[in-house]
Amino acid sequence: MCGIAGILGYNDYNKEQMIKMLDVQKHRGPDAVSIYTDKPIILGHNRLSIIDLSDTANQPMISNCGNYSIVFNGEIYNYLEIKQELKLDYQFKTSSDTEVLLAAFIKWEKKMLHKLNGMFSIAIWNKKTQKLFVARDRFGVKPFYYTFLNNQFYFASEIKTLFAAGIEKEKNTKVWANYFVSGSYGLPNETFWKNIHQLKAGHFFELVFSEKLNHEKINFFQWYDFPARIVQIAQQPIATLKQHYQQLLIDSIQLRFRADVPLGMNVSGGLDSSTLISLVHQQLPSQKSIEAFTFYSNNDAYDELPWVNKLMQSTPYLLNKVLLEYKEIPRLIKEVSYYQDEPFGGFPTLAYSLLFKRAREKGIVVILDGQGMDEAWAGYDYYHNNSNSIIQGTTTSPVRPEAIDVEFTKFAQKENYPTPFDNQLQNLQYRDLFYTKIPRALRFNDRISMMHSTELREPFLDYRLVELAFAQSNQMKLQNGQTKWLLRDLVKNKLGSSIALAPKRALQTPQREWISNELKDYFTNQIEVFSNLDFVNKKKVNQIWKEYLNGNQDNSFYIWQWINTVE
């Protein structure tokens, strides 16, 4: 996992820009910084060494023929299998997945995307055709941001990298208004900043150099058609399905063990994390070791330490317990906000960042995590209770649009998400996978892992697992009031009923309580700053804050929004 950057339409001034861009995102790759120039393009790379730690695996990497150059952020987990297919077509000089990716593109061009099992953002320059090929992985685990300025095309792994190049920092009023009115974080191609775009997950484009580059020059193509793949998956007898899914779980975990650096895993007391721990314990090669990381806040109403301790007792792995203290919150908000570039999740995201910090301090560079099961197996309560909510466990509106000036809220536009399936459940899952929950969770997680120069791997987001689970009938996902039914049934013999059949617990911290008590002064000051912004109704903000302090605390999402805006 690394940081990539590039400018198409390169001139001599752009090298100074590229140096600044790579310096701003150096946390993504502290092991090597390299630049490749070949007018009209300049490519830059920050390397976090994971596979093949030698300098010969550094990027930008040039093909043996000299015609192709690549910058790549991510990991191709099945690179060894692909390399085997290419052994007669390419003379490999490294043992890296980057070189496999480059060789695969030379042979198969864009068709090679369907062979990849991994997380990636890729940019490949073809010198002869003067064409830039750009692609992003199926679920958008790895970021790709781009913009146009002065007839040039700029791209990078982070938004701040584009700001460092001189791109103007101006609010995207539609996305900000939607954030305050409905709690959304923008569509998959949008950001909170005007004229800075994302490449959608599962898409690619080709851009041919010309003297006047602009957005109209790009033709986007969807290479990963998730709905089309789902309808091709036949229903299986339960016994066959369990066996098939178990095999895929094992293979997904084994693929993500591939690394030439130490491994760790983030754990909680829930079903998904427990499944991860169990699989790691069963499948970890004898020559590898792994450590576990979890956070706690010394609050019994929220902490999952009793469950985590019980789970880890049956393994030989060291459990690192990281304490989140309220006095750290102001500092963490400031630090994490810098790395996120856009609004992000609340105190749990701050706590989560501490796990990566601790891992890096111990020399652990790759972390496994349990993201993705709830979206694939329909684990959230709102999937089954006819709620319009997109936040687990809340009973009141998470947003307070009345706190925003009426004229500013007019910039909001209701999002109409696609409904490609013939049933509501799968359409809700599809929304969460490609438009709401997963895109924002992956963005949060990418930034907090990379701020500490660590790589996060999500084995449960292996596309084969997601597709198989998603394609199952409602009855396989919900039975007798139990969500994720088949998964629970599959693992209960190994984990025990107390874990396998436990209701879902949102990963939480005492955010609501700390805001109104220990952190009251800090939040009061920050809310005062927010209330003075030109698009905010100060009177309403003060009224809502007073009500919150007086006990109206079913949720604190809207309070967090306000604080997120001023940092």
Side-chain angles (χ1 to χ4, degrees):
M1 192 186 294
C2 307
I4 63 175
I7 306 170
L8 182 57
Y10 163 67
N11 57 48
D12 292 336
Y13 166 71
N14 293 135
K15 189 161 188 179
E16 295 288 328
Q17 284 182 304
M18 181 57 66
I19 291 170
K20 292 178 182 177
M21 292 167 74
L22 294 176
D23 185 61
V24 164
Q25 63 178 31
K26 62 187 177 184
H27 51 279
R28 297 190 69 91
D31 298 324
V33 179
S34 304
I35 294 174
Y36 168 82
T37 59
D38 183 22
K39 288 186 178 180
I41 199 165
I42 180 169
L43 299 174
H45 190 262
N46 307 88
R47 186 180 183 201
L48 179 63
S49 302
I50 302 292
I51 294 173
D52 186 345
L53 309 185
S54 69
D55 291 346
T56 55
N58 287 350
Q59 302 177 44
M61 184 177 285
I62 315 303
S63 63
N64 290 339
C65 65
N67 184 55
Y68 300 92
S69 51
I70 183 174
V71 284
F72 151 57
N73 170 28
E75 300 291 346
I76 308 302
Y77 301 122
N78 63 334
Y79 75 103
L80 293 177
E81 290 75 11
I82 297 173
K83 188 174 185 177
Q84 186 66 21
E85 287 188 63
L86 293 165
K87 64 181 181 180
L88 300 179
D89 299 287
Y90 194 88
Q91 184 176 353
F92 290 95
K93 298 176 180 177
T94 76
S95 56
S96 70
D97 56 340
T98 304
E99 191 176 22
V100 173
L101 192 54
L102 188 55
F105 182 78
I106 292 171
K107 179 171 184 178
W108 297 303
E109 294 186 319
K110 59 181 177 285
K111 292 181 181 178
M112 63 102 178
L113 292 168
H114 299 283
K115 292 180 174 287
L116 306 180
N117 187 340
M119 54 180 183
F120 52 84
S121 283
I122 307 165
I124 300 176
W125 174 246
N126 184 323
K127 183 187 296 189
K128 290 179 183 177
T129 63
Q130 299 280 280
K131 184 187 293 184
L132 182 68
F133 172 83
V134 173
R136 196 172 178 201
D137 64 71
R138 293 170 178 84
F139 298 111
V141 180
K142 294 289 92 192
F144 188 94
Y145 297 102
Y146 69 92
T147 192
F148 290 88
L149 179 68
N150 299 329
N151 299 316
Q152 295 176 306
F153 173 73
Y154 291 75
F155 70 85
S157 293
E158 296 193 6
I159 293 173
K160 70 175 69 61
T161 311
L162 298 177
F163 292 150
I167 308 302
E168 187 177 0
K169 187 175 183 178
E170 184 179 351
K171 280 185 169 61
N172 182 334
T173 52
K174 178 247 181 177
V175 175
W176 279 98
N178 278 13
Y179 177 60
F180 290 118
V181 170
S182 63
S184 66
Y185 288 74
L187 292 172
N189 62 320
E190 296 177 324
T191 74
F192 281 78
W193 305 106
K194 187 177 180 180
N195 297 323
I196 295 182
H197 315 279
Q198 296 187 74
L199 176 60
K200 289 182 180 180
H203 283 67
F204 75 87
F205 68 80
E206 295 171 316
L207 181 61
V208 178
F209 171 69
S210 68
E211 294 298 330
K212 293 187 177 181
L213 292 171
N214 56 53
H215 214 273
E216 295 176 358
K217 303 284 186 180
I218 296 183
N219 290 316
F220 297 96
F221 299 92
Q222 182 180 8
W223 68 268
Y224 181 51
D225 189 342
F226 183 80
R229 291 181 64 87
I230 294 302
V231 298
Q232 295 172 8
I233 298 175
Q235 299 296 302
Q236 303 173 16
I238 290 180
T240 305
L241 175 61
K242 284 183 180 179
Q243 184 179 24
H244 186 188
Y245 191 76
Q246 178 79 15
Q247 290 171 344
L248 290 180
L249 275 173
I250 291 170
D251 189 57
S252 174
I253 290 286
Q254 290 177 337
L255 285 175
R256 283 156 183 82
F257 285 148
R258 291 178 174 176
D260 297 329
V261 294
L263 300 170
M265 57 180 170
N266 291 338
V267 300
S268 66
L271 172 65
D272 305 345
S273 192
S274 305
T275 303
L276 176 65
I277 294 168
S278 176
L279 287 164
V280 167
H281 188 33
Q282 295 170 43
Q283 303 300 324
L284 188 70
S286 58
Q287 73 273 19
K288 286 185 176 288
S289 61
I290 196 167
E291 293 188 23
F293 297 84
T294 194
F295 72 77
Y296 68 105
S297 60
N298 270 337
N299 186 311
D300 293 341
Y302 295 100
D303 289 345
E304 297 191 322
L305 274 182
W307 292 278
V308 175
N309 285 329
K310 183 178 179 182
L311 284 166
M312 296 304 298
Q313 283 174 359
S314 60
T315 78
Y317 312 132
L318 176 66
L319 174 62
N320 296 271
K321 303 170 187 178
V322 182
L323 175 63
L324 174 70
E325 298 182 274
Y326 75 86
K327 61 186 179 183
E328 293 184 282
I329 296 297
R331 174 185 60 81
L332 286 171
I333 289 175
K334 192 172 188 65
E335 287 181 4
V336 175
S337 294
Y338 169 78
Y339 287 98
Q340 288 285 335
D341 293 323
E342 300 178 283
F344 62 97
F347 288 12
T349 303
L350 304 178
Y352 205 39
S353 73
L354 296 177
L355 303 187
F356 296 101
K357 181 181 181 182
R358 176 69 61 84
R360 185 69 197 199
E361 288 170 350
K362 301 194 74 174
I364 293 171
V365 184
V366 171
I367 300 289
L368 305 184
D369 184 78
Q371 184 78 46
M373 281 291 200
D374 285 306
E375 292 79 11
W377 282 108
Y380 295 117
D381 55 10
Y382 58 75
Y383 286 140
H384 309 288
N385 62 13
N386 296 317
S387 166
N388 290 323
S389 174
I390 57 172
I391 297 179
Q392 171 85 9
T394 60
T395 58
T396 59
S397 173
V399 293
R400 296 292 187 272
E402 65 270 26
I404 307 302
D405 183 79
V406 172
E407 290 303 309
F408 192 82
T409 63
K410 290 179 180 177
F411 291 116
Q413 300 173 22
K414 181 175 174 56
E415 308 292 15
N416 294 308
Y417 303 113
T419 53
F421 299 98
D422 62 5
N423 64 90
Q424 183 186 24
L425 179 57
Q426 285 187 320
N427 284 328
L428 288 175
Q429 291 179 265
Y430 182 73
R431 177 200 68 185
D432 282 2
L433 275 169
F434 292 96
Y435 290 88
T436 56
K437 276 193 173 293
I438 287 296
R440 70 175 182 248
L442 291 176
R443 193 252 293 173
F444 301 166
N445 293 348
D446 174 81
R447 302 310 183 277
I448 57 174
S449 59
M450 294 310 300
M451 72 181 280
H452 296 296
S453 305
T454 53
E455 174 173 290
L456 179 62
R457 297 181 175 183
E458 314 274 14
F460 298 153
L461 274 178
D462 187 303
Y463 72 96
R464 301 167 301 168
L465 284 172
V466 175
E467 289 175 358
L468 184 58
F470 188 102
Q472 300 312 307
S473 66
N474 292 9
Q475 290 72 30
M476 292 295 101
K477 299 168 184 173
L478 179 70
Q479 278 194 30
N480 302 320
Q482 288 283 356
T483 59
K484 296 189 284 193
W485 177 81
L486 187 132
L487 176 65
R488 295 178 190 275
D489 195 63
L490 180 68
V491 301
K492 67 182 180 183
N493 288 336
K494 291 187 176 68
L495 299 179
S497 296
S498 63
I499 294 172
L501 303 182
K504 179 172 179 59
R505 298 184 299 273
L507 187 60
Q508 293 179 334
T509 61
Q511 175 171 308
R512 290 176 295 185
E513 294 85 351
W514 282 356
I515 286 174
S516 60
N517 293 290
E518 291 90 342
L519 294 170
K520 177 183 173 181
D521 290 345
Y522 167 77
F523 272 80
T524 297
N525 292 336
Q526 294 298 91
I527 289 171
E528 175 67 18
V529 175
F530 173 77
S531 71
N532 288 320
L533 296 176
D534 58 9
F535 59 87
V536 175
N537 184 323
K538 184 170 185 174
K539 183 177 179 180
K540 279 290 185 183
V541 166
N542 290 334
Q543 177 189 333
I544 294 169
W545 176 229
K546 184 177 180 181
E547 291 171 355
Y548 185 88
L549 292 176
N550 288 334
N552 185 10
Q553 298 176 12
D554 178 65
N555 78 82
S556 56
F557 179 79
Y558 55 95
I559 303 291
W560 176 255
Q561 283 184 311
W562 302 348
I563 303 302
N564 233 191
T565 304
V566 298
E567 278 297 345

